[in-house]
């Protein structure tokens, strides 16, 4: 059995982080189940600016959450459809969204999503620290922090209902 890491300890390692982006553009249930992470961040870093990146249509899961300073809507389906139809224009819209997030100057990005397409985008946000899955220049996915390793280990250590 994998030991449960201390999330508070993980966050307090990054004393200088003032701007934190939590990424989970998935379905509404996942977004709602991620709200305790926002509370944990706020308890560990009451002075931090915390934003939540969520797929458009699922913002309702974090609207009014006192632990979230900003909700960033990710138009995944619109970008995907534009890429499929227009190619270059769709990539330009994705680049524009990534640049806007990069311009926000997040110190830490916490990727709670297990979708591999997002791991390709995480390094482009320009944060000094990325927790959760990200794509490395060497061409593979990495999960380096202990908390994320724990979360990724749970479904793979199950004997039933993977």
């Amino acid at each position: 059995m994998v030991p449960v890491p201390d999330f508070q300890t993980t966050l307090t390692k990054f004393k200088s982080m003032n701007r934190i982006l939590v990424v989970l553009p998935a379905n509404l249930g996942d977004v709602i189940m991620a709200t305790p992470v926002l509370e944990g961040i706020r308890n560990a870093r009451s002075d931090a600016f915390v934003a939540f990146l969520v797929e458009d249509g699922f913002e309702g899961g974090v609207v009014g959450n006192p632990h979230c300073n900003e909700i960033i809507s990710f138009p995944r389906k619109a970008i995907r459809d534009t890429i499929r139809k227009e190619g270059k224009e769709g990539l330009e819209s994705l680049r524009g969204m990534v640049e806007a997030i990069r311009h926000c100057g997040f110190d830490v990005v916490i990727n709670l999503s297990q979708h591999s397409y997002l791991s390709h985008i995480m390094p482009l946000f320009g944060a000094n620290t990325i927790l959760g899955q990200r794509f490395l220049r060497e061409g593979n996915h990495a999960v380096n922090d202990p908390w994320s390793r724990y979360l990724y280990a749970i479904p793979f250590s199950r004997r039933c209902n993977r």
Side-chain angles (χ1 to χ4, degrees):
M1 183 146 152
V2 179
V4 179
D6 179 14
F7 185 65
Q8 299 267 345
T9 302
T10 301
L11 282 174
T12 53
K13 285 181 187 177
F14 308 106
K15 301 273 187 215
S16 65
M17 64 181 190
N18 294 322
R19 299 182 62 78
I20 303 166
L21 175 64
V22 178
V23 178
L24 185 61
N27 62 49
L28 185 58
D30 288 344
V31 170
I32 292 169
M33 288 176 50
T35 57
V37 172
L38 297 173
E39 184 177 1
I41 292 169
R42 181 63 64 215
N43 289 340
R45 294 301 315 267
S46 61
D47 60 330
F49 177 89
V50 180
F52 196 94
L53 176 74
V54 63
E55 187 173 329
D56 59 347
F58 301 125
E59 302 94 338
V62 286
V63 168
N65 187 308
H67 309 295
C68 182
N69 299 98
E70 182 178 359
I71 300 168
I72 301 172
S73 182
F74 175 45
R76 181 187 66 84
K77 289 179 184 172
I79 289 173
R80 178 201 63 201
D81 293 345
T82 306
I83 289 172
R84 286 180 178 168
K85 291 178 186 172
E86 319 285 326
K88 188 176 178 180
E89 286 182 33
L91 292 174
E92 288 300 321
S93 62
L94 178 60
R95 180 178 290 148
M97 187 206 79
V98 167
E99 285 300 317
I101 292 171
R102 185 180 186 92
H103 183 71
C104 292
F106 289 105
D107 302 303
V108 176
V109 173
I110 302 172
N111 181 12
L112 298 177
S113 177
Q114 293 185 3
H115 295 290
S116 61
Y117 78 90
L118 285 168
S119 67
H120 294 273
I121 299 172
M122 294 303 106
L124 302 176
F125 290 157
N128 293 329
T129 302
I130 301 172
L131 303 175
Q133 188 181 65
R134 69 180 192 280
F135 198 73
L136 302 175
R137 290 182 184 269
E138 295 80 22
N140 54 346
H141 296 273
V143 180
N144 290 337
D145 62 284
W147 184 253
S148 297
R149 275 192 232 138
Y150 173 73
L151 291 176
Y152 281 87
I154 292 171
F156 301 110
S157 66
R158 292 181 186 161
R159 296 184 195 277
C160 301
N161 191 15
R162 291 185 177 244

